[in-house]
């Protein structure tokens, strides 16, 4: 008897195609182009050979049918992708593939859910699992740039690498112009026209730059009442005025923060990494937009905070001998402090990038591995850091040869591949029947970034940190397109004041409401549960996830999800009725 296959796609723009007797599901920046590739290709193998040239950010699933039902399944995830494809077995043995983690969790009964062996270490180190693992042992994720094939008759499963990230052009001296051309082309592919999208306008460089290409698009701005974020709300107001945008505001009261966080985690199906997740969920839940443009992703491609200091440390290491460095670190005042900082950076730069205390790992993840080791042990920390490094290095061609440039490049690439910001925003949008487009998080923009030498990619050529500019390529482009915008103003980050929330605000009683995770050693309670510590936020989000997701047997498939049942025949339905504008085109080839 043939196995049943169930596809659960929450993307409102997903396309379902029936070609001969087979079924294809495509989700991407430009689903029509993906659908055309499927329609024109003579076979699934031909699609696999060509898809990397078409996919900006895509997931594609193919179910091969024979007389008895499903015979094989193929699943693809592009190498640059903030879309996900998860797979698991439902309680009745049905193979389930989905683009939303909550939907995957809903297919595994609560009594059968098992926390993955690596989940705790990954959550504490990176705040997200390293694919193909997820938080649950029963659910696996497609890796970036892979094609997986299941032969349902034999039970065999094969995986092949499809595509790597590499530079694809010679970028001349006018790099801002090259970014402008690339960004404009990507926005044309994915925005469905300015009037069809809403710009998520934070007032930072990236969302404002995107707004200069979306002349008629309305904007939505977030207005949390935390006073620490008042300057960022002001940035957003200024950007609205400069762009002359029709803006809508969504507020989030501090008093509602914990409840909104819990709701967002339940919709995601996994613990939230980012403190802004709660307000993003509020935006998708209350704003009346249908498709959103989000500027996340540019920093990891063109320059993260900390780049200038590391480049200064590299210059210092070239000019000053180690004995002299030791003498300088003992000097009083700022000179000794600078020397000590540069010496620490040099020590980290000399470690292998797979080392948990290398510069690349510390730059990307901000976690003290020694503290995590007190929770899970030193061996798991070393193994997961190595796995995280290998995952990224295997997907990028042409990494820098210079050891300092390589550390800086890998730190940025670890951020680009491992930080799941856009993944969270996208899956929250799906939960509300809406879609999200992140133009910087696309193959074209990532390849442009990789086409710039690593030594020149993340900051301009000034040697003195105070005269150098991080992320200079998008900043110089914005200077041209919107001269009145101040690209040199202090950077915001949308980071909520979690420590204050915990000590005297809305999270003050969080561990009364949610039992701390069972894996917290008694020796770590005082520093991480009874007071704010380096891993307190990780413990908060885990506790919320455990109560609202892991142990919740009432999780159902999200309303608006497109369901494709492949058993003896093919049936396409939609779960619930969210009012989402699901575009499900069933075509015969």
């Amino acid at each position: 008897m043939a196995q049943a296959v169930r596809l659960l796609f929450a993307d409102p723009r997903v396309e379902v195609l029936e070609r001969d007797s087979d079924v294809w599901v495509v989700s991407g920046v430009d689903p029509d182009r993906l659908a055309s590739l499927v329609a024109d290709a003579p076979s699934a193998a031909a699609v696999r050979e060509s898809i990397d040239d078409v996919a900006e950010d895509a997931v594609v699933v193919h179910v091969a049918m024979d007389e008895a039902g499903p015979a094989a399944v193929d699943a693809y995830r592009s190498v640059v992708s903030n879309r996900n494809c998860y797979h698991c077995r439902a309680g009745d043995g049905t193979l389930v593939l989905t683009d939303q983690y909550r939907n995957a969790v809903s297919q595994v009964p609560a009594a059968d859910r098992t926390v993955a062996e690596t989940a705790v270490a990954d959550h504490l180190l990176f705040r997200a699992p390293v694919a193909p693992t997820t938080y649950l042992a029963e659910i696996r994720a497609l890796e970036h740039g892979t094609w997986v094939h299941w032969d349902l008759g034999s039970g065999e499963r094969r995986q092949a690498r499809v595509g790597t990230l590499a530079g694809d052009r010679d970028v001349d001296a006018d790099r801002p112009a090259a970014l402008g051309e690339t960004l404009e082309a990507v926005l044309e592919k994915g925005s469905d026209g300015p009037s069809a999208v809403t710009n998520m306008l934070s007032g930072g460089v990236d969302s404002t730059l995107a707004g200069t290409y979306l002349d008629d698009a309305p904007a939505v701005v977030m207005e949390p009442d935390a006073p620490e974020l008042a300057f960022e709300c002001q940035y957003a107001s200024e950007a609205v005025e400069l762009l002359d945008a029709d803006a809508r505001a969504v507020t989030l009261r501090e008093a509602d923060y914990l409840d909104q966080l819990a709701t967002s985690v339940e919709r995601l199906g996994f613990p939230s990494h980012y403190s802004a997740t709660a307000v993003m969920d509020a935006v998708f839940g209350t704003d009346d937009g249908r498709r959103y443009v989000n500027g996340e992703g540019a920093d990891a491609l063109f320059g993260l905070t900390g780049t200038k200091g590391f480049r200064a440390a590299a210059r210092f290491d070239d000019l000053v001998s180690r004995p002299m460095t030791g003498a300088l670190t003992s000097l009083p005042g700022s000179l000794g402090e600078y020397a000590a900082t540069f010496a620490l950076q040099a020590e980290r730069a000399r470690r292998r990038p797979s080392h948990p205390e290398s510069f690349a790992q510390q730059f990307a993840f901000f976690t003290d591995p020694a503290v995590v080791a007190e929770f899970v042990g030193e061996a798991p920390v070393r193994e997961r850091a190595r796995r995280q490094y290998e995952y990224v290095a295997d997907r990028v061609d042409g990494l820098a040869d210079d050891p300092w440039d390589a550390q800086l490049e890998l730190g940025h690439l670890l951020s680009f591949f491992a930080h799941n910001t856009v993944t969270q925003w996208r899956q929250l949008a799906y939960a509300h029947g809406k879609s999200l487009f992140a133009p910087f998080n696309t193959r074209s923009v990532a390849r442009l970034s990789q086409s710039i030498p690593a030594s020149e990619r993340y900051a301009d050529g000034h040697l003195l940190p105070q005269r150098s500019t991080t992320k200079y390529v998008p900043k110089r482009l914005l200077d041209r397109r919107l001269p009145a915008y101040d690209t040199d103003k202090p950077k915001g980050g949308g980071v909520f004041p979690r420590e204050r929330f915990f000590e005297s605000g809305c999270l003050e009683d969080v561990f009364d409401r949610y039992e701390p995770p069972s894996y917290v050693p008694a020796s770590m309670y005082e520093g991480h549960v009874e007071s704010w510590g380096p891993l307190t936020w990780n413990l908060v989000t885990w506790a919320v996830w455990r109560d609202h997701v892991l142990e919740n047997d009432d999780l159902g498939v999200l309303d608006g999800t497109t369901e494709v049942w492949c058993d003896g025949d093919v049936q396409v339905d939609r779960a619930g009725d969210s009012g989402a504008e699901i575009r499900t085109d069933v075509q015969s080839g």
Side-chain angles (χ1 to χ4, degrees):
M1 180 179 177
Q3 293 186 28
V5 176
R6 188 184 189 195
L7 312 181
L8 298 171
F9 271 70
D11 178 5
R13 301 174 78 244
V14 69
E15 292 200 17
V16 182
L17 303 100
E18 188 174 3
R19 189 173 184 276
D20 298 325
S21 60
D22 292 357
V23 177
W24 291 82
V25 175
V26 298
S27 171
V29 170
D30 188 350
D32 289 339
R33 191 176 181 197
L34 292 167
S36 295
L37 171 65
V38 168
D40 295 340
S43 65
V47 172
R48 186 176 113 175
E49 289 299 316
S50 305
I51 196 165
D52 189 52
D53 296 327
V54 173
E56 285 285 357
D57 165 19
V59 164
V60 174
V61 175
H62 164 238
V63 182
M65 303 286 289
D66 62 18
E67 296 83 358
V73 176
D74 298 287
Y76 162 79
R77 184 186 182 193
S78 57
V79 69
V80 175
S81 179
N82 54 74
R83 297 166 198 271
N84 293 79
C85 184
Y86 307 103
H87 54 91
C88 63
R89 294 283 180 176
D92 61 359
T94 298
L95 176 62
V96 179
L97 291 92
T98 179
D99 62 348
Q100 216 277 354
Y101 196 69
R102 147 69 182 262
N103 277 348
V105 177
S106 75
Q107 301 304 293
V108 182
D112 297 335
R113 295 171 195 158
T114 309
V115 173
E117 183 179 357
T118 56
V120 173
D122 283 359
H123 181 71
L124 297 180
L125 283 168
F126 317 125
R127 299 179 185 170
V130 184
T133 60
T134 74
Y135 281 96
L136 295 183
E138 294 78 18
I139 302 171
R140 305 286 279 182
L142 257 65
E143 300 175 27
H144 291 82
T146 56
W147 184 287
V148 179
H149 176 83
W150 287 266
D151 185 318
L152 300 182
S154 67
E156 182 183 9
R157 177 182 175 276
R158 299 191 303 273
Q159 177 171 309
R161 186 68 50 78
V162 179
T164 54
L165 175 59
D168 63 348
R169 71 191 80 175
D170 291 327
V171 181
D172 61 21
D174 197 349
R175 290 162 182 167
L179 174 60
E181 293 171 3
T182 304
L183 196 57
E184 186 171 23
V186 167
L187 281 163
E188 186 176 348
K189 289 180 187 177
S191 66
D192 295 338
S195 61
V197 298
T198 297
N199 187 20
M200 304 189 84
L201 187 59
S202 69
V205 168
D206 311 320
S207 63
T208 305
L209 178 57
T212 67
Y213 292 93
L214 301 169
D215 294 337
D216 299 321
V220 61
V221 298
M222 290 153 275
E223 294 184 346
D225 64 358
E228 294 89 343
L229 297 175
F231 80 100
E232 296 196 50
C233 294
Q234 181 62 33
Y235 284 1
S237 297
E238 292 168 356
V240 166
E241 184 175 349
L242 289 173
L243 292 169
D244 193 24
D246 179 13
R248 306 183 295 266
V250 174
T251 60
L252 178 64
R253 297 188 312 133
E254 182 178 327
D256 298 328
Y257 181 83
L258 181 55
D259 287 338
Q260 190 75 55
L261 175 66
T263 300
S264 64
V265 169
E266 187 169 323
R267 289 186 173 121
L268 286 170
F270 54 81
S272 166
H273 178 160
Y274 302 98
S275 59
T277 295
V279 73
M280 296 297 287
D281 189 45
V283 168
F284 294 129
T286 60
D287 186 65
D288 60 4
R290 305 303 304 171
R291 180 159 173 77
Y292 294 86
V293 173
N294 186 283
E296 179 65 34
D299 288 17
L301 293 176
F302 295 104
L304 288 158
T305 301
T307 293
K308 293 190 295 184
F310 184 72
R311 294 175 77 221
R315 184 64 171 164
F316 180 86
D317 193 60
D318 285 341
L319 297 175
V320 180
S321 66
R322 292 192 194 180
M324 179 63 72
T325 299
L328 290 174
T329 59
S330 63
L331 293 175
S334 59
L335 182 58
E337 292 173 1
Y338 276 123
T341 299
F342 290 162
L344 176 60
Q345 298 286 50
E347 180 184 355
R348 289 175 172 172
R350 283 189 279 270
R351 294 189 177 112
R352 298 184 310 277
S354 59
H355 193 289
E357 294 187 10
S358 68
F359 172 81
Q361 299 265 350
Q362 291 290 293
F363 186 67
F365 301 119
F366 334 113
T367 304
D368 186 343
V371 176
V372 178
E374 294 188 52
F375 282 76
V376 300
E378 292 184 4
V381 168
R382 289 194 300 270
E383 192 279 328
R384 298 315 291 166
R386 178 189 58 78
R387 171 59 185 151
Q388 184 73 270
Y389 160 75
E390 291 175 347
Y391 183 90
V392 172
D394 287 348
R395 283 159 175 77
V396 182
D397 289 336
L399 290 169
D401 294 324
D402 178 84
W404 284 82
D405 289 342
Q407 288 277 357
L408 188 61
E409 181 178 34
L410 282 164
H412 281 85
L413 289 168
L414 284 166
S415 297
F416 184 71
F417 280 99
H419 285 196
N420 62 346
T421 320
V422 179
T423 291
Q424 292 198 20
W425 302 167
R426 178 182 302 287
Q427 294 197 30
L428 280 177
Y430 288 173
H432 292 280
K434 301 179 180 183
S435 65
L436 183 142
F437 171 44
F440 290 102
N441 220 291
T442 55
R443 179 196 60 172
S444 293
V445 177
R447 284 185 173 178
L448 171 66
S449 168
Q450 288 299 116
S451 298
I452 302 171
S455 60
E456 304 170 16
R457 189 180 305 154
Y458 306 116
D460 62 18
H462 291 292
L463 294 178
L464 295 176
Q466 61 268 32
R467 298 187 62 187
S468 180
T469 300
T470 301
K471 205 169 70 172
Y472 72 97
V473 175
K475 286 181 179 178
R476 296 296 80 84
L477 177 59
L478 183 55
D479 285 337
R480 297 177 188 180
R481 296 187 61 82
L482 198 64
Y485 184 95
D486 179 10
T487 55
D488 294 323
K489 63 187 177 184
K491 179 178 173 58
V495 179
F496 280 67
R498 295 169 296 184
E499 183 173 357
R500 178 179 67 77
F501 282 2
F502 184 81
E503 292 179 343
S504 60
C506 57
L507 299 179
E508 190 174 15
D509 62 349
V510 65
F511 286 129
D512 294 326
R513 181 169 167 181
Y514 297 98
E515 187 73 19
S518 59
Y519 57 74
V520 181
S523 61
M524 306 300 285
Y525 256 68
E526 182 178 356
H528 298 273
V529 174
E530 296 171 0
S531 60
W532 181 263
L535 295 178
T536 301
W537 176 250
N538 306 56
L539 303 182
V540 167
T541 57
W542 183 283
V544 171
W545 171 74
R546 178 201 59 219
D547 287 10
H548 287 271
V549 178
L550 177 63
E551 298 175 355
N552 184 353
D553 208 16
D554 293 327
L555 290 178
V557 173
L558 291 166
D559 285 353
T561 298
T562 297
E563 299 186 74
V564 183
W565 279 96
C566 302
D567 198 348
D569 55 10
V570 176
Q571 181 178 346
V572 181
D573 296 308
R574 186 174 68 179
D577 185 13
S578 68
E581 296 176 2
I582 299 292
R583 187 171 57 159
T584 307
D585 301 327
V586 181
Q587 305 172 1
S588 297

